[in-house]
């Protein structure tokens, strides 16, 4: 191709491009108002949608993803219609959203018991969405539902673990946005139970033929383990006392408060000596040093002069078996060793036996 031809081609290409640029600029100049309307529509429609829909969903999702750790609960100053409750807890989040959460009333209920009737309503304080948040609250708590509280205490007593849910409606304000968004706080935590106070130990100190000034003929020291994270102020507590299915007396523990860990208290009781002596002479107990399988079951709980049925009924829901070395106490206090077959011989054994019956 000649130089003239090349020049002609170049001129053709240049001429064909210029009208396109002028057409695009002309289109924008002619319809600028349409683009302005489009921008306004985006601002008016999309931004509110983000603020009204996306932000609340993100806030709720972040709240749902947060972890609630129940560090401990203390229940004290217990009375018939109210108590004081302290809750120590920790909330963990990923810390990606900077927001403030309003205080709210949280219903506490057993997750695995229907219907979900709250056993307590607690005023939780305002918090933030920081990665690590300590939430402690102490509140004078009216008892709105004694039955629900009794069921909770019964489950706590009987189970190794139980699930407790805290639920309440509140508002979140994301920092930088001048409005509140409604959200629901709902967290279920698994917490250790009391395991029927398994591991309770009773160390007898004295057993008498005659009752003392309180009407008791048995004294001991008891060590009661609390496997849970809940502290209870029960007060003066009494128990039915059974031996091989027969009621043989009443056990008393005064001023009882169960804190997590081991709790040591003096115990006193009124027991039927004849029933105990009879079983001590039976096999296999006479061959095992006189260790007898007593059972106790809750009878009454009184604190501040008021009956506490939400504790008493829970303790009465099941029997607890405790092996007590009662034979050693009889030997120590009365100087008697009960042989297999009982005190059926003559002489000194018969004389001492008559004192017990």
């Amino acid at each position: 191709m000649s130089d003239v031809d090349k020049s002609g081609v170049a001129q053709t290409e240049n001429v064909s491009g210029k009208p396109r640029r002028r057409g695009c600029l002309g289109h924008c100049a002619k319809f600028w108002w349409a683009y302005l309307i489009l921008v306004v529509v985006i601002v008016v429609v999309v931004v509110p949608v983000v603020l009204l829909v996306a932000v609340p969903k993100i806030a709720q999702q972040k709240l749902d993803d947060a972890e609630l750790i129940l560090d401990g609960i203390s229940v004290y100053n217990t009375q018939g219609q109210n108590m004081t409750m302290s809750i120590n807890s920790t909330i963990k989040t990923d810390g990606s959203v900077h927001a403030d959460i309003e205080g709210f009333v949280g219903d506490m209920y057993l997750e695995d018991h229907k219907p979900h009737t709250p056993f307590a309503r607690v005023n939780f304080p305002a918090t933030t969405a920081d990665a690590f948040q300590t939430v402690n609250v102490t509140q004078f708590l009216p008892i709105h539902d004694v039955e629900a509280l009794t069921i909770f205490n019964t489950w706590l007593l009987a189970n190794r673990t139980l699930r407790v849910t805290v639920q309440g409606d509140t508002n979140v304000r994301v920092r930088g946005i001048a409005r509140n968004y409604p959200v629901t706080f709902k967290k279920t935590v698994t917490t250790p139970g009391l395991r029927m106070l398994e591991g309770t130990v009773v160390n007898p100190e004295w057993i008498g033929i005659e009752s003392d000034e309180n009407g008791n003929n048995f004294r001991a020291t008891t060590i009661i383990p609390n496997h849970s994270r809940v502290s209870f102020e029960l007060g003066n507590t009494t128990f039915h006392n059974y031996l091989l299915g027969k009621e043989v007396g009443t056990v008393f523990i005064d001023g009882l408060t169960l804190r997590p860990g081991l709790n040591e208290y003096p115990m006193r009781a009124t027991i039927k000596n004849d029933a105990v002596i009879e079983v001590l002479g039976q096999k296999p107990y006479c061959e095992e040093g006189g260790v007898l399988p007593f059972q106790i079951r809750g009878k009454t709980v009184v604190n501040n002069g008021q009956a506490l049925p939400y504790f008493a009924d829970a303790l009465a829901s099941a029997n607890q078996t405790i092996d007590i070395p009662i034979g050693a106490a009889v030997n120590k206090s009365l100087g008697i060793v009960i042989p297999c077959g009982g005190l059926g011989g003559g002489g000194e054994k018969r004389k001492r036996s008559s004192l017990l019956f």
Side-chain angles (χ1 to χ4, degrees), residues 3 37 159 175 218 256 261:
D3 294 339
I37 291 174
N159 290 284
R175 294 170 193 173
F218 177 82
L256 178 61

Side-chain angles (χ1 to χ4, degrees), residues 58-109:
I58 293 173
Q60 183 66 64
Q61 184 62 49
K62 292 298 182 181
L63 195 60
D64 292 342
D65 292 341
E67 179 185 6
L68 174 65
I69 301 172
L70 189 61
D71 300 313
I73 298 177
S74 296
V75 177
Y76 52 96
N77 192 27
T78 49
Q79 302 180 50
Q81 298 299 320
N82 52 67
M83 63 180 65
T84 300
M85 178 180 288
S86 293
I87 299 177
N88 298 327
S89 61
T90 303
I91 298 177
K92 292 183 178 181
T93 72
D94 60 12
S96 61
V97 175
H98 300 288
D100 297 316
I101 304 171
E102 289 184 358
F104 65 96
V105 178
D107 289 340
M108 300 181 67
Y109 57 83

Side-chain angles (χ1 to χ4, degrees), residues 111-340:
E111 179 63 29
D112 299 312
H113 183 274
K114 302 294 179 64
H116 286 158
T117 305
F119 62 83
R121 286 189 169 95
V122 179
N123 295 319
F124 287 92
T127 59
T128 67
D130 293 343
F132 187 90
Q133 184 80 198
T134 299
V135 181
N136 297 331
V137 57
T138 297
Q139 179 181 335
F140 177 78
L141 200 68
I143 300 173
H144 296 289
D145 195 314
V146 174
E147 181 181 3
L149 182 58
T150 302
I151 292 173
F152 167 73
N153 289 333
T154 302
W155 277 51
L156 184 65
L157 174 66
N159 290 284
R160 300 186 71 85
T161 61
L162 63 159
R163 298 198 301 161
V164 177
T165 296
V166 179
Q167 181 175 349
D169 294 327
T170 184
N171 292 299
V172 169
R173 173 166 290 196
V174 179
R175 294 170 193 173
I177 302 177
R179 65 167 296 151
N180 293 331
Y181 297 100
V183 292
T184 297
F185 183 95
K186 183 180 180 182
K187 294 296 171 186
T188 299
V189 297
T190 300
T191 187
L194 290 166
R195 308 181 199 172
M196 282 304 300
L197 304 175
E198 66 180 24
T200 296
V201 175
V202 174
N203 296 315
E205 297 174 352
W206 171 81
I207 184 169
I209 299 173
E210 302 292 337
S211 299
D212 62 13
E213 63 277 8
N214 295 316
N216 307 135
N217 60 349
F218 177 82
R219 289 195 295 268
T221 297
T222 182
I223 300 174
I224 306 172
N226 180 350
H227 305 283
S228 77
R229 295 174 184 159
V230 184
S231 295
F232 302 92
E233 180 185 330
L234 288 91
N236 297 331
T237 308
T238 68
F239 299 85
H240 297 279
N241 192 13
Y242 302 97
L243 181 60
L244 302 186
K246 296 180 180 179
E247 187 162 7
V248 295
T250 302
V251 173
F252 305 85
I253 303 178
D254 300 322
L256 178 61
T257 295
L258 291 179
R259 299 178 177 85
L262 298 179
N263 300 267
E264 183 173 329
Y265 279 90
M267 169 190 285
R268 56 191 177 89
T270 300
I271 60 176
K272 298 177 181 178
N273 280 331
D274 54 347
V276 173
I277 296 299
E278 179 182 354
V279 176
L280 282 173
Q282 298 176 6
K283 293 183 179 181
Y285 311 112
C286 59
E287 299 173 333
E288 297 175 348
V291 178
L292 301 185
F294 286 89
Q295 289 186 317
I296 63 171
R297 181 170 59 86
K299 189 174 184 180
T300 64
V301 178
V302 177
N303 196 34
N304 296 310
Q306 301 179 36
L308 307 182
Y310 49 86
F311 284 148
D313 291 346
L315 291 172
S317 63
N319 292 346
Q320 179 193 8
T321 300
I322 305 174
D323 293 329
I324 301 177
I326 196 74
V330 170
N331 184 23
K332 177 182 177 181
S333 300
L334 305 177
I336 300 173
V337 177
I338 310 298
C340 290

Side-chain angles (χ1 to χ4, degrees), residues 8-20:
V9 172
Q11 289 176 359
T12 301
E13 291 175 350
N14 290 336
V15 170
S16 64
K18 289 180 180 179
R20 287 198 191 99

